[in-house]
Amino acid sequence: AQSVTQLGSHVSVSEGALVLLRCNYSSSVPPYLFWYVQYPNQGLQLLLKYTTGATLVKGINGFEAEFKKSETSFHLTKPSAHMSDAAEYFCAVSGKSGGSNYKLTFGKGTLLTVNP
Amino acid sequence: GAGVSQSPSNKVTEKGKDVELRCDPISGHTALYWYRQSLGQGLEFLIYFQGNSAPDKSGLPSDRFSAERTGGSVSTLTIQRTQQEDSAVYLCASSQGPAQAKNIQYFGAGTRLSVL
């Protein structure tokens, strides 16, 4: 079974500072990996995804994430935080094959606060 | 419409009543998913529909939960004899084609269900 661990339920940064949101997964084979963002009272929006190929993935709004198989990690970063980045961020995985490869398994989420 | 539409956005009901939640997927999307987002459990997969195939109901928490998808488009999630632990945000998502992890799941804003 797959699982996702997001370290830190709440991360607070200053505007302009580096954003680092941590995600580790547990899976028998490397899964597909996703980061979603949720703004208040809205649904989830895909930030970026890793399926195959280059392990450094760039997404929307200046975010990027790097798949590190040896560390089973997929941490999300942004060089300079903006006030508009304040939201909840979810890491998710799905399998590459098998009968349930469409199911997303989510982490518990990390609430990002950006201070002026 | 341009995105996944869910109605109602908020639903307050009394314990023991039945509720119906509606999801309109993105036009042309053949795959439809329901997830539940609750404080204690995070985001959980509930059910998956793909075309005319039998749905994957493996995530439904009890037999009080059921869902249908009419005409391969609109879906309704029904909760019978609601309990307080059913209080959560119910999210619907759709994706473009057959179940593949590469297909991006687009989420609606959700229905916030409160059971008193």
Short mmCIF file of all heavy atoms in Angstrom, two decimals, chain B residues 22-47:
data_model
loop_
_atom_site.label_atom_id
_atom_site.label_comp_id
_atom_site.label_asym_id
_atom_site.label_seq_id
_atom_site.Cartn_x
_atom_site.Cartn_y
_atom_site.Cartn_z
N ARG B 22 -24.26 16.75 -5.69
CA ARG B 22 -24.20 16.66 -7.15
C ARG B 22 -22.86 17.12 -7.68
O ARG B 22 -22.25 18.05 -7.15
CB ARG B 22 -25.32 17.51 -7.75
CG ARG B 22 -25.34 17.57 -9.26
CD ARG B 22 -26.36 18.59 -9.74
NE ARG B 22 -26.23 18.85 -11.18
CZ ARG B 22 -27.02 18.32 -12.10
NH1 ARG B 22 -28.00 17.52 -11.76
NH2 ARG B 22 -26.84 18.62 -13.39
N CYS B 23 -22.43 16.48 -8.75
CA CYS B 23 -21.18 16.86 -9.41
C CYS B 23 -21.38 16.88 -10.92
O CYS B 23 -21.83 15.90 -11.52
CB CYS B 23 -20.07 15.87 -9.07
SG CYS B 23 -18.53 16.13 -10.00
N ASP B 24 -21.02 18.02 -11.53
CA ASP B 24 -21.00 18.15 -12.99
C ASP B 24 -19.54 18.18 -13.44
O ASP B 24 -18.85 19.16 -13.18
CB ASP B 24 -21.67 19.46 -13.42
CG ASP B 24 -23.15 19.29 -13.64
OD1 ASP B 24 -23.51 18.66 -14.63
OD2 ASP B 24 -23.92 19.80 -12.80
N PRO B 25 -19.06 17.16 -14.10
CA PRO B 25 -17.65 17.14 -14.50
C PRO B 25 -17.40 18.07 -15.68
O PRO B 25 -18.33 18.60 -16.28
CB PRO B 25 -17.43 15.68 -14.90
CG PRO B 25 -18.77 15.25 -15.41
CD PRO B 25 -19.78 15.96 -14.56
N ILE B 26 -16.15 18.23 -16.00
CA ILE B 26 -15.77 18.99 -17.18
C ILE B 26 -16.28 18.26 -18.41
O ILE B 26 -16.15 17.03 -18.51
CB ILE B 26 -14.26 19.19 -17.24
CG1 ILE B 26 -13.80 20.08 -16.07
CG2 ILE B 26 -13.81 19.77 -18.57
CD1 ILE B 26 -12.30 20.20 -15.92
N SER B 27 -16.87 19.01 -19.32
CA SER B 27 -17.43 18.41 -20.53
C SER B 27 -16.37 17.59 -21.27
O SER B 27 -15.25 18.06 -21.51
CB SER B 27 -17.96 19.53 -21.44
OG SER B 27 -18.47 18.98 -22.64
N GLY B 28 -16.74 16.37 -21.60
CA GLY B 28 -15.83 15.51 -22.34
C GLY B 28 -14.95 14.63 -21.47
O GLY B 28 -14.31 13.70 -21.97
N HIS B 29 -14.92 14.89 -20.17
CA HIS B 29 -14.13 14.04 -19.27
C HIS B 29 -14.90 12.76 -19.00
O HIS B 29 -16.06 12.78 -18.59
CB HIS B 29 -13.85 14.77 -17.95
CG HIS B 29 -12.71 15.73 -18.06
ND1 HIS B 29 -12.12 16.29 -16.94
CD2 HIS B 29 -12.06 16.25 -19.13
CE1 HIS B 29 -11.14 17.09 -17.33
NE2 HIS B 29 -11.09 17.09 -18.65
N THR B 30 -14.21 11.64 -19.19
CA THR B 30 -14.90 10.36 -19.01
C THR B 30 -14.71 9.77 -17.62
O THR B 30 -15.45 8.90 -17.21
CB THR B 30 -14.41 9.34 -20.06
OG1 THR B 30 -13.00 9.13 -19.87
CG2 THR B 30 -14.67 9.84 -21.47
N ALA B 31 -13.69 10.22 -16.91
CA ALA B 31 -13.43 9.68 -15.57
C ALA B 31 -13.89 10.67 -14.52
O ALA B 31 -13.69 11.89 -14.65
CB ALA B 31 -11.94 9.39 -15.39
N LEU B 32 -14.53 10.15 -13.47
CA LEU B 32 -15.05 10.99 -12.39
C LEU B 32 -14.74 10.34 -11.06
O LEU B 32 -14.85 9.13 -10.91
CB LEU B 32 -16.57 11.19 -12.57
CG LEU B 32 -17.27 12.17 -11.62
CD1 LEU B 32 -18.41 12.87 -12.34
CD2 LEU B 32 -17.75 11.50 -10.35
N TYR B 33 -14.35 11.17 -10.11
CA TYR B 33 -13.91 10.68 -8.79
C TYR B 33 -14.63 11.46 -7.70
O TYR B 33 -14.88 12.65 -7.84
CB TYR B 33 -12.41 10.92 -8.60
CG TYR B 33 -11.53 10.58 -9.78
CD1 TYR B 33 -11.48 11.39 -10.90
CD2 TYR B 33 -10.71 9.44 -9.75
CE1 TYR B 33 -10.66 11.08 -11.98
CE2 TYR B 33 -9.88 9.14 -10.82
CZ TYR B 33 -9.87 9.96 -11.93
OH TYR B 33 -9.05 9.66 -12.99
N TRP B 34 -14.88 10.80 -6.59
CA TRP B 34 -15.33 11.47 -5.37
C TRP B 34 -14.29 11.23 -4.27
O TRP B 34 -13.79 10.10 -4.11
CB TRP B 34 -16.67 10.92 -4.90
CG TRP B 34 -17.86 11.40 -5.66
CD1 TRP B 34 -18.50 10.76 -6.69
CD2 TRP B 34 -18.60 12.61 -5.45
NE1 TRP B 34 -19.57 11.50 -7.13
CE2 TRP B 34 -19.67 12.64 -6.38
CE3 TRP B 34 -18.48 13.67 -4.55
CZ2 TRP B 34 -20.59 13.69 -6.44
CZ3 TRP B 34 -19.39 14.72 -4.62
CH2 TRP B 34 -20.43 14.71 -5.55
N TYR B 35 -13.98 12.30 -3.55
CA TYR B 35 -13.09 12.23 -2.39
C TYR B 35 -13.79 12.91 -1.21
O TYR B 35 -14.67 13.74 -1.39
CB TYR B 35 -11.78 12.98 -2.65
CG TYR B 35 -10.87 12.35 -3.70
CD1 TYR B 35 -11.03 12.65 -5.04
CD2 TYR B 35 -9.84 11.48 -3.32
CE1 TYR B 35 -10.19 12.09 -6.00
CE2 TYR B 35 -9.00 10.93 -4.28
CZ TYR B 35 -9.18 11.24 -5.61
OH TYR B 35 -8.35 10.69 -6.56
N ARG B 36 -13.36 12.56 -0.02
CA ARG B 36 -13.87 13.21 1.19
C ARG B 36 -12.68 13.84 1.92
O ARG B 36 -11.64 13.20 2.09
CB ARG B 36 -14.57 12.19 2.09
CG ARG B 36 -15.14 12.79 3.36
CD ARG B 36 -16.04 11.81 4.09
NE ARG B 36 -15.33 10.68 4.65
CZ ARG B 36 -15.91 9.77 5.43
NH1 ARG B 36 -17.20 9.87 5.70
NH2 ARG B 36 -15.21 8.76 5.91
N GLN B 37 -12.90 15.07 2.37
CA GLN B 37 -11.85 15.79 3.11
C GLN B 37 -12.40 16.11 4.49
O GLN B 37 -13.32 16.91 4.64
CB GLN B 37 -11.46 17.06 2.38
CG GLN B 37 -10.31 17.81 3.00
CD GLN B 37 -9.89 19.01 2.17
OE1 GLN B 37 -10.67 19.56 1.38
NE2 GLN B 37 -8.65 19.44 2.33
N SER B 38 -11.81 15.49 5.51
CA SER B 38 -12.26 15.74 6.88
C SER B 38 -11.07 16.02 7.75
O SER B 38 -9.94 15.65 7.42
CB SER B 38 -13.05 14.55 7.42
OG SER B 38 -12.27 13.37 7.35
N LEU B 39 -11.33 16.68 8.87
CA LEU B 39 -10.23 17.10 9.75
C LEU B 39 -9.44 15.92 10.26
O LEU B 39 -8.23 15.94 10.32
CB LEU B 39 -10.79 17.92 10.92
CG LEU B 39 -11.15 19.36 10.60
CD1 LEU B 39 -11.80 20.02 11.81
CD2 LEU B 39 -9.93 20.14 10.15
N GLY B 40 -10.12 14.88 10.62
CA GLY B 40 -9.42 13.76 11.23
C GLY B 40 -8.73 12.84 10.24
O GLY B 40 -7.68 12.28 10.53
N GLN B 41 -9.29 12.72 9.06
CA GLN B 41 -8.82 11.71 8.10
C GLN B 41 -8.11 12.29 6.89
O GLN B 41 -7.57 11.55 6.08
CB GLN B 41 -10.01 10.86 7.61
CG GLN B 41 -10.75 10.15 8.71
CD GLN B 41 -9.87 9.16 9.44
OE1 GLN B 41 -9.02 8.49 8.84
NE2 GLN B 41 -10.04 9.08 10.75
N GLY B 42 -8.11 13.60 6.72
CA GLY B 42 -7.49 14.17 5.53
C GLY B 42 -8.33 13.89 4.30
O GLY B 42 -9.55 13.77 4.37
N LEU B 43 -7.67 13.76 3.17
CA LEU B 43 -8.35 13.51 1.89
C LEU B 43 -8.40 12.01 1.61
O LEU B 43 -7.37 11.35 1.54
CB LEU B 43 -7.60 14.20 0.76
CG LEU B 43 -7.94 15.66 0.52
CD1 LEU B 43 -6.79 16.39 -0.12
CD2 LEU B 43 -9.19 15.76 -0.37
N GLU B 44 -9.61 11.48 1.42
CA GLU B 44 -9.77 10.05 1.18
C GLU B 44 -10.53 9.80 -0.12
O GLU B 44 -11.55 10.45 -0.38
CB GLU B 44 -10.60 9.41 2.30
CG GLU B 44 -10.10 9.62 3.70
CD GLU B 44 -11.16 9.12 4.68
OE1 GLU B 44 -12.14 9.87 4.91
OE2 GLU B 44 -11.02 8.00 5.19
N PHE B 45 -10.06 8.84 -0.87
CA PHE B 45 -10.75 8.40 -2.07
C PHE B 45 -12.04 7.68 -1.69
O PHE B 45 -12.06 6.86 -0.76
CB PHE B 45 -9.84 7.45 -2.85
CG PHE B 45 -10.52 6.67 -3.94
CD1 PHE B 45 -10.73 7.24 -5.19
CD2 PHE B 45 -10.96 5.38 -3.72
CE1 PHE B 45 -11.35 6.52 -6.19
CE2 PHE B 45 -11.57 4.64 -4.73
CZ PHE B 45 -11.78 5.22 -5.96
N LEU B 46 -13.12 7.97 -2.40
CA LEU B 46 -14.39 7.31 -2.14
C LEU B 46 -14.78 6.37 -3.28
O LEU B 46 -15.03 5.18 -3.07
CB LEU B 46 -15.50 8.34 -1.93
CG LEU B 46 -15.40 9.24 -0.71
CD1 LEU B 46 -16.56 10.22 -0.67
CD2 LEU B 46 -15.36 8.42 0.57
N ILE B 47 -14.89 6.92 -4.50
CA ILE B 47 -15.42 6.13 -5.61
C ILE B 47 -14.92 6.69 -6.93
O ILE B 47 -14.59 7.87 -7.02
CB ILE B 47 -16.97 6.11 -5.57
CG1 ILE B 47 -17.55 5.12 -6.59
CG2 ILE B 47 -17.53 7.51 -5.79
CD1 ILE B 47 -19.05 4.87 -6.40
#
